[in-house]
Amino acid sequence: MRRTKKIVPVAALLALAACAPSTGGQAGTADATAAKPLPSASVDTAFDLNALVEAAKKEGSLVVYDSSGDIEEVAKAFTAKYGIAMEGVKSDTPETAEKMTREHAADNVTIDAAMYEDGGVLMGQLIPQGIVQTWVPADLQDQILPEDRNPLRALSKATVFAYNTKLSPGGCPIKNIWDLTEPAWSGKFLMQDPLGKPTVTSFLTQLDSHGNQALEQAYQDKFGEPLKTKEKSAAYEWIRRIAANKPVLTSSDEDTSSAVGAPNAADKKIGFMSISKFRNNEDKGYAQSTCEGMKPFAGFSYPKYVAIAAKSKHPNAAKLYVHFIMTEEGVKHEIGEGGTSGNSTVKPLVDPPGLTDWSTQLFHTDPQKLVADLQNRQIMSDFWRLTHR
């Protein structure tokens, strides 16, 4: 069953964290979100998978939150395999963080584990404040790269610029990211509102941290002259122009996908959406593909982490879930339309339409800058509010 979740503003989440166990500074300030060494990940020295399964069965059930509805399929597969009732709940990342923070403070925990797309809040607040913790399955440890263990990266996904292949059979109608700032695409570019989608806000802040050179080169490729701007960087100039060009802001990637790729679509539009929505091509007869060859990139990749509630009432079942999602049997339900597993032995299952080489086609989120994303989030959000019209 799909559940409708309200969007919690980022500012509210940052204020909420002040109610949680303190890390030595007021939540939302640079001190509270400063990059500090995370507590070490937990690894059971005498790990026994069979013993973990038996202990989890005695606990009887668990609840896992995720921003993707795919968690419901993961839950069905987990229950079928282990006979343990698992409920997978689709919930926006900000709401999940808020609920887990409140439950922890009240000693009334109902969420046993969660999948986090918002690495900034996870690494800058939830883990340091002891609300959640990282557990690494010892028998899979050697299959997980050291940099992916703390926090534990379950998988990586991508958000891409997509178009309708029936309306544009010759390929994507835009070739350069700066095309979207042109009057011809005013009101024809759809994306989730950055104020309600942490991964989009993170993309914008990361563009400013390590994407400016690529944006400057793309500008010169398009206009034949160097970029001149009064903004602090090329990223801020692109964001200002995008925000001012009347983008259509949606509340979900599903809405974006419907507007771009539905069979009855009549106008050429570009959507900025998760590759998971390419499932609509088969399920609903949509016609959509990544803007292959777009300069300087066709979208961005980002990590999704898994963490266990520190006060979970079903800690063994939560650990078993983590083990499950770190195997192909579990993660395939999350990366079935494209994505990569945090387990290096699990290979990508499919190439999403138009996305054949993640290393060259995508702008990549730098996990080392996720806490900085959290620090700069309010600045970026305020800039978007001022420029979007």
Side-chain angles (χ1 to χ4, degrees):
M1 180 176 65
R2 301 289 180 184
R3 305 183 182 208
T4 302
K5 296 292 180 179
K6 59 184 176 66
I7 297 292
V8 180
V10 169
L13 176 58
L14 296 178
L16 171 68
C19 301
S22 174
T23 58
Q26 184 179 1
T29 65
D31 179 67
T33 59
K36 302 173 183 177
L38 293 177
S40 297
S42 173
V43 182
D44 296 339
T45 55
F47 180 79
D48 184 324
L49 180 57
N50 291 329
L52 178 63
V53 171
E54 291 307 311
K57 287 182 176 180
K58 291 178 181 178
E59 293 171 350
S61 65
L62 80 158
V63 176
V64 180
Y65 273 42
D66 188 353
S67 58
S68 170
D70 294 332
I71 191 63
E72 297 172 10
E73 296 304 315
V74 178
K76 292 177 183 177
F78 180 90
T79 298
K81 181 176 179 64
Y82 296 112
I84 299 170
M86 173 181 161
E87 181 182 7
V89 179
K90 184 181 186 299
S91 168
D92 292 330
T93 302
E95 181 169 282
T96 298
E98 176 190 13
K99 184 173 175 62
M100 294 192 81
T101 299
R102 292 191 184 280
E103 289 188 351
H104 181 88
D107 286 326
N108 184 27
V109 172
T110 64
I111 303 173
D112 297 295
M115 306 285 284
Y116 285 98
E117 291 181 348
D118 191 347
V121 166
L122 178 66
M123 298 168 68
Q125 294 180 350
L126 299 180
I127 293 178
Q129 293 170 356
I131 296 168
V132 301
Q133 58 190 12
T134 297
W135 178 79
V136 178
D139 62 330
L140 302 178
Q141 186 172 207
D142 291 342
Q143 301 172 21
I144 303 168
L145 297 175
E147 60 267 28
D148 288 335
R149 296 175 189 169
N150 193 26
L152 182 59
R153 181 175 72 88
L155 62 136
S156 288
K157 295 290 283 184
T159 293
V160 298
F161 297 98
Y163 72 103
N164 187 305
T165 57
K166 287 186 178 178
L167 297 178
S168 299
C172 185
I174 63 170
K175 307 300 181 185
N176 189 303
I177 197 170
W178 290 96
D179 290 348
L180 292 169
T181 68
E182 297 277 78
W185 289 99
S186 177
K188 297 182 179 181
F189 172 52
L190 295 92
M191 62 184 291
Q192 281 205 57
D193 188 344
L195 301 181
K197 185 68 173 177
T199 52
V200 175
T201 312
S202 177
F203 166 61
L204 299 181
T205 57
Q206 294 243 341
L207 267 185
D208 183 48
S209 69
H210 65 284
N212 286 304
Q213 184 175 353
L215 287 172
E216 290 169 2
Q217 183 60 56
Y219 183 92
Q220 183 147 351
D221 290 342
K222 176 175 174 59
F223 295 105
E225 61 183 20
L227 172 67
K228 295 179 181 179
T229 177
K230 294 181 180 179
E231 301 296 345
K232 62 174 288 191
S233 67
Y236 270 81
E237 178 65 23
W238 181 78
I239 294 164
R240 181 185 67 78
R241 294 192 190 191
I242 283 289
N245 205 30
K246 296 182 173 58
V248 179
L249 303 183
T250 66
S251 59
S252 70
D253 285 336
E254 187 64 32
D255 290 340
T256 301
S257 175
S258 176
V260 171
N264 61 351
D267 296 326
K268 293 181 182 180
K269 294 183 174 69
I270 299 297
F272 195 49
M273 62 188 184
S274 170
I275 56 175
S276 65
K277 294 308 166 185
F278 287 134
R279 70 163 66 95
N280 288 335
N281 288 4
E282 180 177 349
D283 294 348
K284 300 181 179 181
Y286 284 16
Q288 49 193 8
S289 177
T290 303
C291 284
E292 188 172 6
M294 184 173 170
K295 293 183 178 180
F297 38 73
F300 74 100
S301 68
Y302 57 90
K304 179 182 282 192
Y305 301 102
V306 59
I308 295 174
K311 297 180 180 179
S312 167
K313 295 182 174 64
H314 311 102
N316 291 298
K319 287 181 178 180
L320 187 59
Y321 166 77
V322 172
H323 189 281
F324 186 63
I325 203 66
M326 295 305 298
T327 66
E328 181 175 345
E329 187 176 7
V331 80
K332 68 181 181 182
H333 304 284
E334 292 258 3
I335 63 173
E337 290 76 34
T340 61
S341 171
N343 184 326
S344 61
T345 68
V346 178
K347 303 306 178 185
L349 303 180
V350 299
D351 288 328
L355 184 59
T356 57
D357 187 349
W358 283 47
S359 63
T360 61
Q361 289 181 264
L362 299 177
F363 176 81
H364 298 283
T365 297
D366 182 352
Q368 299 302 315
K369 299 183 185 296
L370 288 171
V371 175
D373 288 342
L374 183 61
Q375 294 171 333
N376 296 321
R377 186 171 299 177
Q378 194 61 53
I379 296 171
M380 181 60 71
S381 297
D382 290 343
F383 183 75
W384 179 266
R385 288 188 184 95
L386 288 172
T387 54
H388 177 247
R389 56 184 184 273

